């Protein structure tokens, strides 16, 4: 399973476990749920959440919007972010090297000036 599937399953299980959804079940639904299987419970939950055939259209719209946004906005942003981190860490390393070299030259200068 991909991360998306795991996230969707986790969200579904979280929504299914919400007490507010369990409290709004009618007595008829309770009678039906006692003798029903897990699949019936899932279908009842989907009906309670008003999930219908438009979920496929919504998912298609999500995919159509997701990929352009991913490649046009998120990917360039994260590339620039990684480059910025790389340059910052590189400059910090260079500054530490320059400080160490400066301290070494200072010690050599003090040593030479004493003699």
């Amino acid at each position: 399973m991909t991360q998306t599937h795991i996230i969707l399953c986790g969200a579904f299980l979280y929504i299914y476990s919400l007490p507010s959804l369990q409290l709004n079940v009618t007595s008829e639904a309770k009678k039906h749920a006692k003798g029903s299987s897990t699949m019936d419970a899932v279908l009842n939950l989907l009906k309670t959440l008003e999930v219908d055939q438009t979920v496929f259209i919504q998912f298609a719209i999500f995919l159509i919007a997701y990929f352009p946004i991913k490649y046009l906005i998120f990917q360039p942003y994260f590339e620039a972010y990684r480059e910025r981190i790389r340059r910052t860490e590189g400059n910090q390393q260079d500054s530490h090297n320059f400080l160490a070299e400066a301290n070494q030259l200072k010690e050599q200068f003090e040593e030479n000036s004493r003699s």
Side-chain angles (χ1 to χ4, degrees), residues 90-105:
N91 289 340
Q92 287 176 348
Q93 185 62 35
D94 289 343
S95 67
H96 289 296
N97 292 341
F98 290 139
L99 283 173
E101 185 180 343
N103 288 333
Q104 185 181 14
L105 290 174

Side-chain angles (χ1 to χ4, degrees), residues 37-50:
S37 67
T38 306
M39 187 61 164
D40 290 336
V42 170
L43 292 174
N44 188 22
L45 173 67
L46 293 175
K47 188 183 284 185
T48 303
L49 294 174
E50 297 181 8

